[in-house]
């Protein structure tokens, strides 16, 4: 496709977004559509995906109802959606789950459930999107949503921290492997953003603890739109020389 002067002009390129039914993934999908991307909204909840769909700009978008914990269904689902979208340019894996457990309650099944969605589903999605017969020829952009907790620790979040650190490590390896096909691979590490996920996790904490967490972000807590703008930049053809990066979008949390 032709190069555009605009920093983030997708010129009709197709991007699959997981977690599109809520929070950060929904904001990424909306922001992408404003920059002329065709978006495939992936998630389990059809009703909430339809709410996102109603907020998209432009046309040519699709909805993909999919439980990402069922890894064996991902490849076929992407191949099927390709039938109506044509070549796929990229993906943003924003779907994620968190479970707060102290070490003694952090059993294998608790960690596995987070691993399944946060890491393994994203890797399987990348495998599907990057199939030579499904992807746009000669270019591509993959984006994973990691977390500041892939970089710094948080009590009670052993499984979550482990999966998010693994996302950033996998991003670097994929970036090196896929560079020869001009497919870029990056991740974002958001700090505290108020969404369904944080409402659930913060609900377990005292008001004072929540205030401390917010105060640990020099610019305060973020909004899903703050993350979405960074996501659109990293996904867009305009960031053509950036790969293997892990961008903190955290209001200064990890700068301290
Ligand atoms: N909010 C923060 O402060 C923060 C900070 C750092 C990183 N993050 C990361 O940002 C990403 C988005 O989080 P959020 O805060 O926007 O959370 P959210 O509002 O709870 O959204 C999570 C999304 O993940 C999807 N999802 C979960 N399990 C799924 C499954 N098995 N199959 C398909 N979809 C599934 C949900 O879809 P359904 O509608 O199907 O449930 C939902 O759309 C996550 O990866 C999270 O770890 C968030």
């Amino acid at each position: 496709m032709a190069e555009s002067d605009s920093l983030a002009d997708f010129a009709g390129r197709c991007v699959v977004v997981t977690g599109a039914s809520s929070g950060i993934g929904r904001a990424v999908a909306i922001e992408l559509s404003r920059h002329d991307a065709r978006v495939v909204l992936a998630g389990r909840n059809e009703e909430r995906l339809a709410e996102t769909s109603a907020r998209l700009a432009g046309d040519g978008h699709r909805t993909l109802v999919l439980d990402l914990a069922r890894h064996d269904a991902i490849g076929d689902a992407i191949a099927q959606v390709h039938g109506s979208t044509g070549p796929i340019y990229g993906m943003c894996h924003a779907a994620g789950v968190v479970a707060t457990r102290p070490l003694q309650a952090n059993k294998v099944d608790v960690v596995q459930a987070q691993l399944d969605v946060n890491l393994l589903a994203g890797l399987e999605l990348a495998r599907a999107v990057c199939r030579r017969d499904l992807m746009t020829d000669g270019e591509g952009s993959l984006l994973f949503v990691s977390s500041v907790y892939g970089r710094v620790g948080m009590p009670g979040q052993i499984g979550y921290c482990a999966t998010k650190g693994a996302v950033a490590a996998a991003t670097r390896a994929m970036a090196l492997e896929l560079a020869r096909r001009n497919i870029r691979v990056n991740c974002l590490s958001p700090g505290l953003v108020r969404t369904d996920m944080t409402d659930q996790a913060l609900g377990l904490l005292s008001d004072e603890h929540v205030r401390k967490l917010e105060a640990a972000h020099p610019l305060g807590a973020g909004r899903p739109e703050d993350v979405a703008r960074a996501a659109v930049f990293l996904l867009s053809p305009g960031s053509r020389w950036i790969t293997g990066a892990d961008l903190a979008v955290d209001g200064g949390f990890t700068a301290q």
Side-chain angles (χ1 to χ4, degrees), residues 10 12-18 28-29 32-33 36-42 60-62 85-93 129 136 141-143 231-232 235-237:
F10 285 78
R13 288 172 174 86
C14 175
V15 182
V16 180
V17 179
T18 69
V28 170
L32 279 169
S33 74
D36 203 19
R38 287 178 300 121
V39 187
V40 177
L41 305 168
H61 311 298
R62 301 282 183 281
T85 61
I88 299 171
Y89 162 78
M91 54 161 268
C92 172
H93 181 49
V129 164
T136 311
S141 186
L142 316 183
L143 182 68
V232 163
L235 280 164
S236 74

PDB file of all heavy atoms in Angstrom, residues 10 12-18 28-29 32-33 36-42 60-62 85-93 129 136 141-143 231-232 235-237:
ATOM      1  N   PHE A  10      -4.296   4.299   8.405  1.00  0.00           N
ATOM      2  CA  PHE A  10      -4.291   2.863   8.089  1.00  0.00           C
ATOM      3  C   PHE A  10      -4.798   2.590   6.671  1.00  0.00           C
ATOM      4  O   PHE A  10      -4.678   1.452   6.196  1.00  0.00           O
ATOM      5  CB  PHE A  10      -5.112   2.090   9.128  1.00  0.00           C
ATOM      6  CG  PHE A  10      -4.370   1.948  10.432  1.00  0.00           C
ATOM      7  CD1 PHE A  10      -4.289   3.008  11.323  1.00  0.00           C
ATOM      8  CD2 PHE A  10      -3.711   0.781  10.747  1.00  0.00           C
ATOM      9  CE1 PHE A  10      -3.578   2.901  12.518  1.00  0.00           C
ATOM     10  CE2 PHE A  10      -2.993   0.652  11.936  1.00  0.00           C
ATOM     11  CZ  PHE A  10      -2.932   1.721  12.820  1.00  0.00           C
ATOM     12  N   GLY A  12      -7.464   1.782   5.255  1.00  0.00           N
ATOM     13  CA  GLY A  12      -8.295   0.596   5.033  1.00  0.00           C
ATOM     14  C   GLY A  12      -7.664  -0.715   5.453  1.00  0.00           C
ATOM     15  O   GLY A  12      -8.249  -1.782   5.266  1.00  0.00           O
ATOM     16  N   ARG A  13      -6.465  -0.668   6.023  1.00  0.00           N
ATOM     17  CA  ARG A  13      -5.812  -1.919   6.463  1.00  0.00           C
ATOM     18  C   ARG A  13      -6.652  -2.573   7.563  1.00  0.00           C
ATOM     19  O   ARG A  13      -7.303  -1.886   8.357  1.00  0.00           O
ATOM     20  CB  ARG A  13      -4.410  -1.631   6.984  1.00  0.00           C
ATOM     21  CG  ARG A  13      -3.401  -1.265   5.894  1.00  0.00           C
ATOM     22  CD  ARG A  13      -2.110  -0.804   6.547  1.00  0.00           C
ATOM     23  NE  ARG A  13      -1.025  -0.569   5.599  1.00  0.00           N
ATOM     24  CZ  ARG A  13      -0.838   0.575   4.948  1.00  0.00           C
ATOM     25  NH1 ARG A  13      -1.686   1.587   5.088  1.00  0.00           N
ATOM     26  NH2 ARG A  13       0.207   0.713   4.127  1.00  0.00           N
ATOM     27  N   CYS A  14      -6.579  -3.911   7.613  1.00  0.00           N
ATOM     28  CA  CYS A  14      -7.429  -4.674   8.541  1.00  0.00           C
ATOM     29  C   CYS A  14      -6.630  -5.091   9.787  1.00  0.00           C
ATOM     30  O   CYS A  14      -5.559  -5.690   9.672  1.00  0.00           O
ATOM     31  CB  CYS A  14      -7.958  -5.914   7.810  1.00  0.00           C
ATOM     32  SG  CYS A  14      -8.894  -6.993   8.889  1.00  0.00           S
ATOM     33  N   VAL A  15      -7.180  -4.794  10.961  1.00  0.00           N
ATOM     34  CA  VAL A  15      -6.507  -5.105  12.228  1.00  0.00           C
ATOM     35  C   VAL A  15      -7.464  -5.880  13.139  1.00  0.00           C
ATOM     36  O   VAL A  15      -8.603  -5.456  13.353  1.00  0.00           O
ATOM     37  CB  VAL A  15      -6.053  -3.818  12.948  1.00  0.00           C
ATOM     38  CG1 VAL A  15      -5.310  -4.157  14.242  1.00  0.00           C
ATOM     39  CG2 VAL A  15      -5.177  -2.948  12.047  1.00  0.00           C
ATOM     40  N   VAL A  16      -7.002  -7.005  13.664  1.00  0.00           N
ATOM     41  CA  VAL A  16      -7.794  -7.794  14.630  1.00  0.00           C
ATOM     42  C   VAL A  16      -7.495  -7.273  16.035  1.00  0.00           C
ATOM     43  O   VAL A  16      -6.329  -7.156  16.418  1.00  0.00           O
ATOM     44  CB  VAL A  16      -7.416  -9.292  14.557  1.00  0.00           C
ATOM     45  CG1 VAL A  16      -8.230 -10.099  15.564  1.00  0.00           C
ATOM     46  CG2 VAL A  16      -7.592  -9.837  13.139  1.00  0.00           C
ATOM     47  N   VAL A  17      -8.539  -6.972  16.800  1.00  0.00           N
ATOM     48  CA  VAL A  17      -8.352  -6.473  18.172  1.00  0.00           C
ATOM     49  C   VAL A  17      -9.063  -7.403  19.148  1.00  0.00           C
ATOM     50  O   VAL A  17     -10.282  -7.571  19.080  1.00  0.00           O
ATOM     51  CB  VAL A  17      -8.915  -5.044  18.329  1.00  0.00           C
ATOM     52  CG1 VAL A  17      -8.723  -4.550  19.771  1.00  0.00           C
ATOM     53  CG2 VAL A  17      -8.250  -4.089  17.349  1.00  0.00           C
ATOM     54  N   THR A  18      -8.301  -8.019  20.062  1.00  0.00           N
ATOM     55  CA  THR A  18      -8.943  -8.832  21.103  1.00  0.00           C
ATOM     56  C   THR A  18      -9.240  -7.945  22.315  1.00  0.00           C
ATOM     57  O   THR A  18      -8.665  -6.866  22.465  1.00  0.00           O
ATOM     58  CB  THR A  18      -8.048 -10.012  21.545  1.00  0.00           C
ATOM     59  OG1 THR A  18      -6.913  -9.494  22.260  1.00  0.00           O
ATOM     60  CG2 THR A  18      -7.588 -10.852  20.364  1.00  0.00           C
ATOM     61  N   VAL A  28      -8.945   0.916  21.848  1.00  0.00           N
ATOM     62  CA  VAL A  28      -8.024   0.719  20.714  1.00  0.00           C
ATOM     63  C   VAL A  28      -8.830   0.556  19.417  1.00  0.00           C
ATOM     64  O   VAL A  28      -8.520   1.168  18.390  1.00  0.00           O
ATOM     65  CB  VAL A  28      -7.109  -0.511  20.939  1.00  0.00           C
ATOM     66  CG1 VAL A  28      -6.335  -0.868  19.671  1.00  0.00           C
ATOM     67  CG2 VAL A  28      -6.152  -0.270  22.101  1.00  0.00           C
ATOM     68  N   ALA A  29      -9.883  -0.263  19.482  1.00  0.00           N
ATOM     69  CA  ALA A  29     -10.702  -0.495  18.283  1.00  0.00           C
ATOM     70  C   ALA A  29     -11.310   0.820  17.777  1.00  0.00           C
ATOM     71  O   ALA A  29     -11.278   1.112  16.571  1.00  0.00           O
ATOM     72  CB  ALA A  29     -11.798  -1.504  18.600  1.00  0.00           C
ATOM     73  N   LEU A  32      -8.560   3.050  16.302  1.00  0.00           N
ATOM     74  CA  LEU A  32      -8.115   2.534  14.992  1.00  0.00           C
ATOM     75  C   LEU A  32      -9.109   2.930  13.898  1.00  0.00           C
ATOM     76  O   LEU A  32      -8.710   3.340  12.804  1.00  0.00           O
ATOM     77  CB  LEU A  32      -8.015   0.996  15.040  1.00  0.00           C
ATOM     78  CG  LEU A  32      -6.760   0.392  15.658  1.00  0.00           C
ATOM     79  CD1 LEU A  32      -6.953  -1.114  15.880  1.00  0.00           C
ATOM     80  CD2 LEU A  32      -5.535   0.646  14.776  1.00  0.00           C
ATOM     81  N   SER A  33     -10.394   2.788  14.214  1.00  0.00           N
ATOM     82  CA  SER A  33     -11.418   3.092  13.187  1.00  0.00           C
ATOM     83  C   SER A  33     -11.370   4.566  12.802  1.00  0.00           C
ATOM     84  O   SER A  33     -11.640   4.937  11.663  1.00  0.00           O
ATOM     85  CB  SER A  33     -12.811   2.684  13.679  1.00  0.00           C
ATOM     86  OG  SER A  33     -13.288   3.583  14.668  1.00  0.00           O
ATOM     87  N   ASP A  36      -9.003   5.210   9.967  1.00  0.00           N
ATOM     88  CA  ASP A  36      -9.293   4.533   8.704  1.00  0.00           C
ATOM     89  C   ASP A  36      -8.820   3.082   8.640  1.00  0.00           C
ATOM     90  O   ASP A  36      -8.481   2.581   7.573  1.00  0.00           O
ATOM     91  CB  ASP A  36      -8.704   5.346   7.531  1.00  0.00           C
ATOM     92  CG  ASP A  36      -9.428   5.041   6.225  1.00  0.00           C
ATOM     93  OD1 ASP A  36     -10.560   4.519   6.294  1.00  0.00           O
ATOM     94  OD2 ASP A  36      -8.840   5.280   5.153  1.00  0.00           O
ATOM     95  N   ALA A  37      -8.767   2.413   9.810  1.00  0.00           N
ATOM     96  CA  ALA A  37      -8.519   0.964   9.799  1.00  0.00           C
ATOM     97  C   ALA A  37      -9.865   0.253   9.715  1.00  0.00           C
ATOM     98  O   ALA A  37     -10.893   0.770  10.170  1.00  0.00           O
ATOM     99  CB  ALA A  37      -7.790   0.544  11.068  1.00  0.00           C
ATOM    100  N   ARG A  38      -9.858  -0.939   9.123  1.00  0.00           N
ATOM    101  CA  ARG A  38     -11.010  -1.844   9.243  1.00  0.00           C
ATOM    102  C   ARG A  38     -10.680  -2.767  10.408  1.00  0.00           C
ATOM    103  O   ARG A  38      -9.597  -3.357  10.458  1.00  0.00           O
ATOM    104  CB  ARG A  38     -11.221  -2.640   7.955  1.00  0.00           C
ATOM    105  CG  ARG A  38     -11.781  -1.775   6.824  1.00  0.00           C
ATOM    106  CD  ARG A  38     -11.942  -2.550   5.534  1.00  0.00           C
ATOM    107  NE  ARG A  38     -10.686  -3.086   5.070  1.00  0.00           N
ATOM    108  CZ  ARG A  38     -10.451  -4.378   4.869  1.00  0.00           C
ATOM    109  NH1 ARG A  38     -11.390  -5.286   5.082  1.00  0.00           N
ATOM    110  NH2 ARG A  38      -9.274  -4.790   4.438  1.00  0.00           N
ATOM    111  N   VAL A  39     -11.615  -2.874  11.352  1.00  0.00           N
ATOM    112  CA  VAL A  39     -11.296  -3.556  12.603  1.00  0.00           C
ATOM    113  C   VAL A  39     -12.114  -4.839  12.743  1.00  0.00           C
ATOM    114  O   VAL A  39     -13.316  -4.854  12.456  1.00  0.00           O
ATOM    115  CB  VAL A  39     -11.594  -2.624  13.807  1.00  0.00           C
ATOM    116  CG1 VAL A  39     -11.109  -3.276  15.103  1.00  0.00           C
ATOM    117  CG2 VAL A  39     -10.928  -1.276  13.621  1.00  0.00           C
ATOM    118  N   VAL A  40     -11.449  -5.914  13.174  1.00  0.00           N
ATOM    119  CA  VAL A  40     -12.144  -7.150  13.556  1.00  0.00           C
ATOM    120  C   VAL A  40     -12.207  -7.154  15.081  1.00  0.00           C
ATOM    121  O   VAL A  40     -11.173  -7.226  15.758  1.00  0.00           O
ATOM    122  CB  VAL A  40     -11.405  -8.406  13.044  1.00  0.00           C
ATOM    123  CG1 VAL A  40     -12.117  -9.668  13.525  1.00  0.00           C
ATOM    124  CG2 VAL A  40     -11.295  -8.385  11.527  1.00  0.00           C
ATOM    125  N   LEU A  41     -13.419  -7.034  15.624  1.00  0.00           N
ATOM    126  CA  LEU A  41     -13.618  -6.948  17.072  1.00  0.00           C
ATOM    127  C   LEU A  41     -13.758  -8.356  17.629  1.00  0.00           C
ATOM    128  O   LEU A  41     -14.734  -9.048  17.343  1.00  0.00           O
ATOM    129  CB  LEU A  41     -14.907  -6.181  17.381  1.00  0.00           C
ATOM    130  CG  LEU A  41     -15.031  -4.775  16.776  1.00  0.00           C
ATOM    131  CD1 LEU A  41     -16.454  -4.267  16.928  1.00  0.00           C
ATOM    132  CD2 LEU A  41     -14.055  -3.829  17.458  1.00  0.00           C
ATOM    133  N   ALA A  42     -12.790  -8.795  18.429  1.00  0.00           N
ATOM    134  CA  ALA A  42     -12.842 -10.156  18.973  1.00  0.00           C
ATOM    135  C   ALA A  42     -13.105 -10.139  20.472  1.00  0.00           C
ATOM    136  O   ALA A  42     -12.541  -9.318  21.206  1.00  0.00           O
ATOM    137  CB  ALA A  42     -11.525 -10.884  18.684  1.00  0.00           C
ATOM    138  N   GLY A  60     -16.787  -1.506   7.059  1.00  0.00           N
ATOM    139  CA  GLY A  60     -15.946  -2.661   6.723  1.00  0.00           C
ATOM    140  C   GLY A  60     -15.457  -3.402   7.957  1.00  0.00           C
ATOM    141  O   GLY A  60     -14.575  -4.263   7.865  1.00  0.00           O
ATOM    142  N   HIS A  61     -16.023  -3.080   9.131  1.00  0.00           N
ATOM    143  CA  HIS A  61     -15.596  -3.756  10.368  1.00  0.00           C
ATOM    144  C   HIS A  61     -16.328  -5.091  10.514  1.00  0.00           C
ATOM    145  O   HIS A  61     -17.391  -5.291   9.945  1.00  0.00           O
ATOM    146  CB  HIS A  61     -15.882  -2.861  11.575  1.00  0.00           C
ATOM    147  CG  HIS A  61     -15.384  -1.456  11.394  1.00  0.00           C
ATOM    148  ND1 HIS A  61     -14.043  -1.171  11.221  1.00  0.00           N
ATOM    149  CD2 HIS A  61     -16.036  -0.261  11.320  1.00  0.00           C
ATOM    150  CE1 HIS A  61     -13.893   0.131  11.055  1.00  0.00           C
ATOM    151  NE2 HIS A  61     -15.091   0.707  11.105  1.00  0.00           N
ATOM    152  N   ARG A  62     -15.747  -5.992  11.327  1.00  0.00           N
ATOM    153  CA  ARG A  62     -16.340  -7.306  11.575  1.00  0.00           C
ATOM    154  C   ARG A  62     -16.316  -7.602  13.064  1.00  0.00           C
ATOM    155  O   ARG A  62     -15.507  -7.041  13.798  1.00  0.00           O
ATOM    156  CB  ARG A  62     -15.545  -8.419  10.880  1.00  0.00           C
ATOM    157  CG  ARG A  62     -15.432  -8.300   9.384  1.00  0.00           C
ATOM    158  CD  ARG A  62     -16.719  -8.753   8.686  1.00  0.00           C
ATOM    159  NE  ARG A  62     -16.608  -8.715   7.246  1.00  0.00           N
ATOM    160  CZ  ARG A  62     -16.699  -7.620   6.492  1.00  0.00           C
ATOM    161  NH1 ARG A  62     -16.904  -6.452   7.059  1.00  0.00           N
ATOM    162  NH2 ARG A  62     -16.574  -7.687   5.179  1.00  0.00           N
ATOM    163  N   THR A  85     -12.753 -10.359   5.140  1.00  0.00           N
ATOM    164  CA  THR A  85     -11.978  -9.104   5.263  1.00  0.00           C
ATOM    165  C   THR A  85     -10.907  -8.982   4.191  1.00  0.00           C
ATOM    166  O   THR A  85     -10.458  -7.896   3.862  1.00  0.00           O
ATOM    167  CB  THR A  85     -11.229  -9.026   6.622  1.00  0.00           C
ATOM    168  OG1 THR A  85     -10.308 -10.117   6.701  1.00  0.00           O
ATOM    169  CG2 THR A  85     -12.190  -9.046   7.796  1.00  0.00           C
ATOM    170  N   GLY A  86     -10.436 -10.119   3.678  1.00  0.00           N
ATOM    171  CA  GLY A  86      -9.243 -10.091   2.826  1.00  0.00           C
ATOM    172  C   GLY A  86      -8.006 -10.000   3.711  1.00  0.00           C
ATOM    173  O   GLY A  86      -8.092 -10.206   4.928  1.00  0.00           O
ATOM    174  N   PRO A  87      -6.843  -9.701   3.113  1.00  0.00           N
ATOM    175  CA  PRO A  87      -5.572  -9.743   3.831  1.00  0.00           C
ATOM    176  C   PRO A  87      -5.596  -8.956   5.148  1.00  0.00           C
ATOM    177  O   PRO A  87      -6.154  -7.869   5.222  1.00  0.00           O
ATOM    178  CB  PRO A  87      -4.581  -9.120   2.854  1.00  0.00           C
ATOM    179  CG  PRO A  87      -5.190  -9.359   1.516  1.00  0.00           C
ATOM    180  CD  PRO A  87      -6.678  -9.318   1.700  1.00  0.00           C
ATOM    181  N   ILE A  88      -4.970  -9.557   6.156  1.00  0.00           N
ATOM    182  CA  ILE A  88      -4.947  -8.946   7.491  1.00  0.00           C
ATOM    183  C   ILE A  88      -3.596  -8.266   7.681  1.00  0.00           C
ATOM    184  O   ILE A  88      -2.540  -8.874   7.450  1.00  0.00           O
ATOM    185  CB  ILE A  88      -5.178 -10.030   8.571  1.00  0.00           C
ATOM    186  CG1 ILE A  88      -6.563 -10.671   8.353  1.00  0.00           C
ATOM    187  CG2 ILE A  88      -5.066  -9.438   9.979  1.00  0.00           C
ATOM    188  CD1 ILE A  88      -6.807 -11.909   9.216  1.00  0.00           C
ATOM    189  N   TYR A  89      -3.618  -7.011   8.114  1.00  0.00           N
ATOM    190  CA  TYR A  89      -2.385  -6.233   8.295  1.00  0.00           C
ATOM    191  C   TYR A  89      -1.790  -6.426   9.687  1.00  0.00           C
ATOM    192  O   TYR A  89      -0.578  -6.451   9.864  1.00  0.00           O
ATOM    193  CB  TYR A  89      -2.701  -4.749   8.058  1.00  0.00           C
ATOM    194  CG  TYR A  89      -1.678  -3.791   8.617  1.00  0.00           C
ATOM    195  CD1 TYR A  89      -0.473  -3.558   7.945  1.00  0.00           C
ATOM    196  CD2 TYR A  89      -1.913  -3.108   9.816  1.00  0.00           C
ATOM    197  CE1 TYR A  89       0.476  -2.674   8.460  1.00  0.00           C
ATOM    198  CE2 TYR A  89      -0.974  -2.222  10.339  1.00  0.00           C
ATOM    199  CZ  TYR A  89       0.221  -2.012   9.653  1.00  0.00           C
ATOM    200  OH  TYR A  89       1.151  -1.136  10.173  1.00  0.00           O
ATOM    201  N   GLY A  90      -2.670  -6.576  10.703  1.00  0.00           N
ATOM    202  CA  GLY A  90      -2.096  -6.635  12.050  1.00  0.00           C
ATOM    203  C   GLY A  90      -3.076  -7.069  13.110  1.00  0.00           C
ATOM    204  O   GLY A  90      -4.227  -7.420  12.829  1.00  0.00           O
ATOM    205  N   MET A  91      -2.593  -7.066  14.341  1.00  0.00           N
ATOM    206  CA  MET A  91      -3.424  -7.473  15.477  1.00  0.00           C
ATOM    207  C   MET A  91      -2.991  -6.727  16.731  1.00  0.00           C
ATOM    208  O   MET A  91      -1.824  -6.343  16.875  1.00  0.00           O
ATOM    209  CB  MET A  91      -3.281  -8.974  15.734  1.00  0.00           C
ATOM    210  CG  MET A  91      -1.839  -9.411  15.914  1.00  0.00           C
ATOM    211  SD  MET A  91      -1.631 -11.001  16.744  1.00  0.00           S
ATOM    212  CE  MET A  91      -1.475 -10.497  18.452  1.00  0.00           C
ATOM    213  N   CYS A  92      -3.956  -6.529  17.611  1.00  0.00           N
ATOM    214  CA  CYS A  92      -3.652  -6.014  18.945  1.00  0.00           C
ATOM    215  C   CYS A  92      -4.263  -6.975  19.948  1.00  0.00           C
ATOM    216  O   CYS A  92      -5.488  -7.149  19.979  1.00  0.00           O
ATOM    217  CB  CYS A  92      -4.250  -4.613  19.116  1.00  0.00           C
ATOM    218  SG  CYS A  92      -4.096  -4.016  20.814  1.00  0.00           S
ATOM    219  N   HIS A  93      -3.415  -7.616  20.740  1.00  0.00           N
ATOM    220  CA  HIS A  93      -3.932  -8.557  21.738  1.00  0.00           C
ATOM    221  C   HIS A  93      -4.105  -7.812  23.062  1.00  0.00           C
ATOM    222  O   HIS A  93      -3.170  -7.692  23.854  1.00  0.00           O
ATOM    223  CB  HIS A  93      -2.980  -9.736  21.896  1.00  0.00           C
ATOM    224  CG  HIS A  93      -3.462 -10.749  22.882  1.00  0.00           C
ATOM    225  ND1 HIS A  93      -4.744 -11.259  22.862  1.00  0.00           N
ATOM    226  CD2 HIS A  93      -2.844 -11.332  23.957  1.00  0.00           C
ATOM    227  CE1 HIS A  93      -4.893 -12.121  23.865  1.00  0.00           C
ATOM    228  NE2 HIS A  93      -3.764 -12.174  24.540  1.00  0.00           N
ATOM    229  N   VAL A 129      -2.569 -14.958  12.404  1.00  0.00           N
ATOM    230  CA  VAL A 129      -2.570 -13.722  11.611  1.00  0.00           C
ATOM    231  C   VAL A 129      -1.384 -13.682  10.648  1.00  0.00           C
ATOM    232  O   VAL A 129      -1.496 -13.167   9.531  1.00  0.00           O
ATOM    233  CB  VAL A 129      -2.552 -12.490  12.577  1.00  0.00           C
ATOM    234  CG1 VAL A 129      -2.164 -11.216  11.860  1.00  0.00           C
ATOM    235  CG2 VAL A 129      -3.914 -12.337  13.253  1.00  0.00           C
ATOM    236  N   THR A 136      -1.354  -9.503   4.876  1.00  0.00           N
ATOM    237  CA  THR A 136      -0.944  -8.579   3.818  1.00  0.00           C
ATOM    238  C   THR A 136       0.500  -8.891   3.442  1.00  0.00           C
ATOM    239  O   THR A 136       1.332  -9.135   4.323  1.00  0.00           O
ATOM    240  CB  THR A 136      -1.008  -7.121   4.340  1.00  0.00           C
ATOM    241  OG1 THR A 136      -2.267  -6.910   4.956  1.00  0.00           O
ATOM    242  CG2 THR A 136      -0.806  -6.123   3.228  1.00  0.00           C
ATOM    243  N   SER A 141       1.968  -5.563  11.409  1.00  0.00           N
ATOM    244  CA  SER A 141       2.267  -4.974  12.712  1.00  0.00           C
ATOM    245  C   SER A 141       1.471  -5.700  13.790  1.00  0.00           C
ATOM    246  O   SER A 141       0.243  -5.765  13.718  1.00  0.00           O
ATOM    247  CB  SER A 141       1.895  -3.480  12.675  1.00  0.00           C
ATOM    248  OG  SER A 141       2.288  -2.841  13.855  1.00  0.00           O
ATOM    249  N   LEU A 142       2.191  -6.262  14.759  1.00  0.00           N
ATOM    250  CA  LEU A 142       1.549  -6.968  15.876  1.00  0.00           C
ATOM    251  C   LEU A 142       1.805  -6.175  17.154  1.00  0.00           C
ATOM    252  O   LEU A 142       2.923  -5.715  17.382  1.00  0.00           O
ATOM    253  CB  LEU A 142       2.120  -8.375  16.050  1.00  0.00           C
ATOM    254  CG  LEU A 142       2.338  -9.253  14.817  1.00  0.00           C
ATOM    255  CD1 LEU A 142       2.846 -10.632  15.255  1.00  0.00           C
ATOM    256  CD2 LEU A 142       1.068  -9.384  13.999  1.00  0.00           C
ATOM    257  N   LEU A 143       0.769  -6.067  17.985  1.00  0.00           N
ATOM    258  CA  LEU A 143       0.926  -5.339  19.249  1.00  0.00           C
ATOM    259  C   LEU A 143       0.316  -6.159  20.377  1.00  0.00           C
ATOM    260  O   LEU A 143      -0.820  -6.637  20.273  1.00  0.00           O
ATOM    261  CB  LEU A 143       0.225  -3.975  19.158  1.00  0.00           C
ATOM    262  CG  LEU A 143       0.361  -3.114  20.415  1.00  0.00           C
ATOM    263  CD1 LEU A 143       1.799  -2.643  20.607  1.00  0.00           C
ATOM    264  CD2 LEU A 143      -0.572  -1.914  20.343  1.00  0.00           C
ATOM    265  N   ALA A 231      -1.229   2.806  21.223  1.00  0.00           N
ATOM    266  CA  ALA A 231      -1.401   1.551  20.482  1.00  0.00           C
ATOM    267  C   ALA A 231      -1.528   1.827  18.988  1.00  0.00           C
ATOM    268  O   ALA A 231      -0.907   1.140  18.152  1.00  0.00           O
ATOM    269  CB  ALA A 231      -2.643   0.811  20.985  1.00  0.00           C
ATOM    270  N   VAL A 232      -2.328   2.824  18.660  1.00  0.00           N
ATOM    271  CA  VAL A 232      -2.546   3.138  17.239  1.00  0.00           C
ATOM    272  C   VAL A 232      -1.230   3.566  16.594  1.00  0.00           C
ATOM    273  O   VAL A 232      -0.914   3.177  15.471  1.00  0.00           O
ATOM    274  CB  VAL A 232      -3.657   4.214  17.098  1.00  0.00           C
ATOM    275  CG1 VAL A 232      -3.626   4.854  15.723  1.00  0.00           C
ATOM    276  CG2 VAL A 232      -5.013   3.577  17.373  1.00  0.00           C
ATOM    277  N   LEU A 235       0.925   0.459  16.048  1.00  0.00           N
ATOM    278  CA  LEU A 235       0.364  -0.418  15.007  1.00  0.00           C
ATOM    279  C   LEU A 235       0.495   0.194  13.610  1.00  0.00           C
ATOM    280  O   LEU A 235       0.582  -0.526  12.621  1.00  0.00           O
ATOM    281  CB  LEU A 235      -1.120  -0.683  15.288  1.00  0.00           C
ATOM    282  CG  LEU A 235      -1.431  -1.741  16.339  1.00  0.00           C
ATOM    283  CD1 LEU A 235      -2.890  -1.636  16.794  1.00  0.00           C
ATOM    284  CD2 LEU A 235      -1.148  -3.152  15.788  1.00  0.00           C
ATOM    285  N   SER A 236       0.516   1.515  13.554  1.00  0.00           N
ATOM    286  CA  SER A 236       0.362   2.183  12.254  1.00  0.00           C
ATOM    287  C   SER A 236       1.608   2.057  11.387  1.00  0.00           C
ATOM    288  O   SER A 236       2.730   1.914  11.899  1.00  0.00           O
ATOM    289  CB  SER A 236       0.063   3.666  12.466  1.00  0.00           C
ATOM    290  OG  SER A 236       1.250   4.321  12.881  1.00  0.00           O
ATOM    291  N   PRO A 237       1.420   2.152  10.067  1.00  0.00           N
ATOM    292  CA  PRO A 237       2.576   2.134   9.158  1.00  0.00           C
ATOM    293  C   PRO A 237       3.541   3.273   9.450  1.00  0.00           C
ATOM    294  O   PRO A 237       4.727   3.184   9.132  1.00  0.00           O
ATOM    295  CB  PRO A 237       1.933   2.312   7.775  1.00  0.00           C
ATOM    296  CG  PRO A 237       0.496   1.939   7.944  1.00  0.00           C
ATOM    297  CD  PRO A 237       0.122   2.246   9.356  1.00  0.00           C
TER     298      PRO A 237
END
